[in-house]
Amino acid sequence: MMEVKIEPGWKEVLNKEFTKPYFKQIVAHIRSEKATNETIFPAGKLIFNAFNTTPFDELKVVIIGQDPYHGQGQAHGLSFSVPDGVKPPPSLVNIFKELKADIGLSFPTTGNLTPWAKQGVFLLNAILTVRANEPASHAKIGWMEFTNAVIQKIAEEKKGIVFVLWGKFAHEKQVFIDATKHYILKAAHPSPFSADKGFFGCKHFSKINELLMGEGISPIDWNL
């Protein structure tokens, strides 16, 4: 077992996954890299940060990212987010631009999205670890199988969740979501390479809140 603290609600839902051979392989792979002094992000205690910050029972929205940031001090286990005091990367800057255009929110002084996660916005990266300075270096070690199972569990056991899929990679996760039971918002990725192809102007932040309120659920305060 991976010695990671995970919120009890998630532990119950995902218990079977933690005992499967592929999950044991993930653990073995990370341990072997650490044994050869590879630097892996985020730090061990933050690998399941999204799960611990957004308990299963409080989940309202799922925003799917791809890979943790691979620069020193950037990744902290929440998709698109960086810790306080770290300069927001370009994709996050574009997210903030869309927030301003959509709901008039002034540019935040931090790129730390923990306040969203604490309100039920599950910031899930499809791959939960990365080697320093090597993007997608852990893309094939088994994480995708795990996070696909996570998305499926949410889709099966919940109702009325807003799934936010930005970019082609996230769009592929739609196969795990029953659109008659949940809401799916799709747009281009906020990366500078694609933001002007449909991310800017998507108005997802106001749409998320409209959908939540339509379900009788309190909206997200997007201020940071």
Side-chain angles (χ1 to χ4, degrees):
M1 271 295 293
M2 205 167 183
E3 295 304 312
V4 172
K5 182 175 140 284
I6 193 163
E7 188 269 329
W10 281 112
K11 194 164 205 167
E12 199 175 312
V13 172
L14 299 171
N15 230 349
K16 281 196 179 130
E17 297 305 314
F18 295 132
T19 62
K20 288 182 179 175
Y22 83 83
F23 198 86
K24 291 174 180 171
Q25 282 173 348
I26 296 172
V27 178
H29 187 101
I30 291 172
R31 283 192 178 140
S32 71
E33 287 200 359
K34 283 188 168 171
T36 58
N37 292 323
E38 290 283 2
T39 302
I40 293 169
F41 298 135
K45 66 180 189 297
L46 293 173
I47 292 172
F48 291 103
N49 193 20
F51 299 82
N52 293 328
T53 312
T54 310
F56 187 73
D57 293 343
E58 293 171 26
L59 199 108
K60 301 176 182 178
V61 179
V62 179
I63 298 180
I64 298 171
Q66 188 164 346
D67 204 28
Y69 295 124
H70 53 85
Q72 184 66 43
Q74 290 181 309
H76 67 138
L78 303 175
S79 61
F80 296 104
S81 180
V82 287
D84 289 323
V86 176
K87 187 175 177 241
S91 291
L92 186 53
V93 169
N94 286 339
I95 288 170
F96 291 157
K97 284 180 184 171
E98 179 57 24
L99 256 175
K100 188 174 194 309
D102 183 6
I103 56 176
L105 211 60
S106 58
F107 215 82
T109 55
T110 179
N112 188 340
L113 307 182
T114 302
W116 297 0
K118 286 184 171 170
Q119 296 176 74
V121 181
F122 185 45
L123 298 166
L124 177 68
N125 274 323
I127 302 148
L128 294 186
T129 55
V130 68
R131 274 198 307 273
N133 307 315
E134 292 183 50
S137 46
H138 284 179
K140 296 190 168 81
I141 71 167
W143 280 129
M144 216 94 81
E145 194 170 338
F146 176 70
T147 54
N148 286 346
V150 170
I151 295 164
Q152 279 176 290
K153 291 281 185 195
I154 297 167
E156 283 164 16
E157 299 198 18
K158 300 263 184 196
K159 189 181 154 295
I161 299 293
V162 185
F163 286 88
V164 181
L165 311 179
W166 291 333
K168 187 171 171 290
F169 178 86
H171 293 176
E172 288 168 3
K173 305 299 178 187
Q174 192 170 342
V175 295
F176 304 117
I177 306 158
D178 181 349
T180 64
K181 220 174 111 180
H182 300 285
Y183 303 103
I184 297 172
L185 297 178
K186 287 163 75 176
H189 195 277
S191 148
F193 301 108
S194 54
D196 57 356
K197 294 181 177 73
F199 177 76
F200 289 138
C202 70
K203 297 194 175 342
H204 278 181
F205 302 99
S206 56
K207 283 178 184 167
I208 288 167
N209 281 346
E210 279 167 30
L211 294 169
L212 292 175
M213 290 191 286
E215 288 278 331
I217 296 165
S218 57
I220 307 300
D221 176 359
W222 297 109
N223 283 290
L224 293 171

